[in-house]
């Protein structure tokens, strides 16, 4: 049995990770300030003796020191997430993602022995893709827009997190693993912070207009949360992953127009599919990436990861969860 600390453990991915680690017999402690997480995500765990939660910020260094010292490893999932959330809360997002990660890494390094940190990063790191770019590899260049477009701050803060983690590894021998997540989806994800699948599912079930932003021909590769959790645990266990960066994703992509049609059909919805210009949906000058697809050869080769859940199964389980 290991004692695992999950920052952001009441969030969408963090809470699923907690469930699986508890099922495997580990002790799980979470810290979450409920900025985008929710008590509903962890309420079913409250009677589990191997589970403890702290509703607090990761900026609370004193508490974080105690939690880090008492754990064997840390999954750092706490972050400001969601394109809409980042645009609406630019300052808090930057502070959480930069200062928060600094604290996590500093304390993991100071702890005796040093604690392994699995750092959740993002496919936003890659930024805009060049025309014709098929899929992103971990060592690909990053192409970003100007600083007046706040979307790009998310990519930059997460890149700084990655630099920090890699610097701690190189200079201090802190065992870190960086993972870049590609559009994770599944039950418990809310559309409140902009994520497309829960937004479309809710709109479709309520027979409200399904809001496609831009021309809808942009594509994304959605990964089911259970597949992501499996990958996170496999990488935490694999010694060769220390000091490395991995894409976690499902390489199959779908256009946002197709996604809207699929969700409408699967929910027998009478919703209209409407197209809304990006500037109206987000902010002036907003830039979207046309395609984003992971190259997963590295994680496949190192830990045998292969996503199992396809888009139809993902949507089916999300729709059932919303109906519930
Ligand atoms: N999107 C959309 N309608 C919505 C929410 C999002 O068409 O109501 C689009 C968004 O512009 C992007 C894609 O869906 O092209 C995925 O958006 P999301 O915010 O889920 O993730 P991203 O890949 O942008 O981080």
């Amino acid at each position: 049995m290991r004692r695992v600390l999950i920052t952001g453990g009441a969030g969408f991915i963090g809470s699923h990770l907690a469930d699986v680690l508890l099922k495997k017999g580990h002790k799980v402690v979470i810290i979450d300030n409920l900025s985008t997480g929710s008590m509903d995500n962890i309420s079913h765990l409250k009677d589990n003796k191997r589970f403890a939660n702290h509703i607090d910020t990761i900026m609370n260094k004193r508490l974080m020191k105690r939690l880090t010292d008492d754990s064997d490893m840390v999954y750092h999932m706490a972050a400001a997430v969601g394109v809409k959330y980042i645009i609406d809360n630019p300052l808090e997002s930057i502070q959480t993602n930069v200062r928060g990660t600094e604290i996590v890494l500093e304390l993991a390094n100071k702890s005796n022995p040093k604690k392994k940190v699995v750092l959740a990063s993002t496919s936003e790191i890659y930024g805009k893709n060049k025309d014709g770019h098929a899929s992103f590899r971990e060592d690909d260049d990053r192409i970003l827009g100007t600083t007046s477009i706040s979307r790009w701050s998310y990519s930059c803060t997460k890149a700084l997190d990655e630099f920090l983690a890699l610097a701690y590894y190189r200079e201090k021998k802190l065992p870190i693993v960086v993972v870049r997540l590609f559009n994770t989806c599944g039950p418990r994800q809310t559309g409140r912070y902009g994520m497309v699948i829960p937004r479309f599912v809710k709109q479709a079930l309520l027979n409200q207009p399904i809001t496609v932003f831009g021309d809808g021909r942009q594509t994304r590769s959605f990964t089911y949360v259970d597949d992501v959790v499996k990958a996170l645990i496999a990488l935490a266990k694999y010694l060769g992953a220390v000091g490395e960066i991995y894409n976690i994703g499902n390489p199959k992509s779908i256009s946002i127009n197709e996604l809207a049609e699929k969700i409408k059909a699967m929910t027998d919805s009478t919703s209209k599919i409407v197209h809304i210009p990006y500037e109206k949906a987000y902010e002036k000058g907003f830039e979207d990436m046309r395609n984003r697809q992971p190259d997963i050869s590295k994680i496949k080769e190192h830990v045998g990861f292969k996503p199992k859940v396809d888009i139809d199964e993902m949507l089916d389980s999300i729709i059932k969860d919303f109906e519930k």
Side-chain angles (χ1 to χ4, degrees), residues 83-84 87 151 191 193-196 199-200 203 209-220 255-257 260 273-283 286 288-290:
V83 174
K84 184 93 186 76
I87 291 171
R151 167 186 208 142
Y193 311 113
M195 282 74 163
V196 66
R199 280 176 58 85
F200 282 6
Q203 291 165 342
I210 298 178
T211 55
V212 173
F213 299 157
D215 64 10
R217 284 189 300 200
Q218 69 270 34
T219 66
R220 289 293 184 276
S255 77
I256 301 303
N257 281 333
I273 297 177
V274 296
H275 287 80
I276 297 172
Y278 283 126
E279 298 216 342
K280 239 180 159 181
Y282 296 106
E283 60 178 343
F286 180 83
D288 201 10
M289 41 287 281
R290 293 302 286 172

Side-chain angles (χ1 to χ4, degrees), residues 231-295:
L232 289 170
I233 294 173
L235 289 172
K237 273 204 268 187
Y238 175 58
L239 289 180
V242 169
E244 296 287 335
I245 299 172
Y246 293 91
N247 286 339
I248 299 181
N250 187 331
K252 285 231 176 77
S253 64
I254 180 170
S255 77
I256 301 303
N257 281 333
E258 266 179 274
L259 183 71
E261 296 286 357
K262 215 182 236 303
I263 292 174
K264 181 176 150 108
M266 286 176 82
T267 51
D268 290 320
S269 172
T270 58
S271 292
K272 270 202 204 121
I273 297 177
V274 296
H275 287 80
I276 297 172
Y278 283 126
E279 298 216 342
K280 239 180 159 181
Y282 296 106
E283 60 178 343
K284 199 166 172 282
F286 180 83
E287 294 175 305
D288 201 10
M289 41 287 281
R290 293 302 286 172
N291 315 104
R292 191 163 66 197
Q293 206 177 309
D295 179 321

Side-chain angles (χ1 to χ4, degrees), residues 56-93:
D56 210 322
T57 161
I58 52 172
M59 311 288 190
N60 181 344
K61 219 167 160 179
R62 200 200 260 174
L63 173 63
M64 277 298 288
K65 179 174 178 344
R66 180 160 63 78
L67 300 184
T68 308
D69 287 344
D70 288 348
S71 71
D72 298 312
M73 69 156 294
V74 184
Y75 285 95
H76 180 35
M77 313 301 291
V81 290
V83 174
K84 184 93 186 76
Y85 187 86
I86 304 286
I87 291 171
D88 293 343
N89 306 275
L91 192 57
E92 188 226 300
S93 302

Side-chain angles (χ1 to χ4, degrees), residues 105-131:
L105 292 169
E106 184 191 321
L107 295 174
N109 183 58
K110 271 195 192 144
S111 202
N112 187 13
K114 293 178 196 273
K115 302 295 156 63
K116 181 182 274 190
V117 179
V118 174
L119 171 77
S121 183
T122 167
S123 56
E124 279 275 324
I125 283 277
Y126 295 107
K128 304 185 256 189
N129 46 337
K130 288 178 242 162
D131 285 345

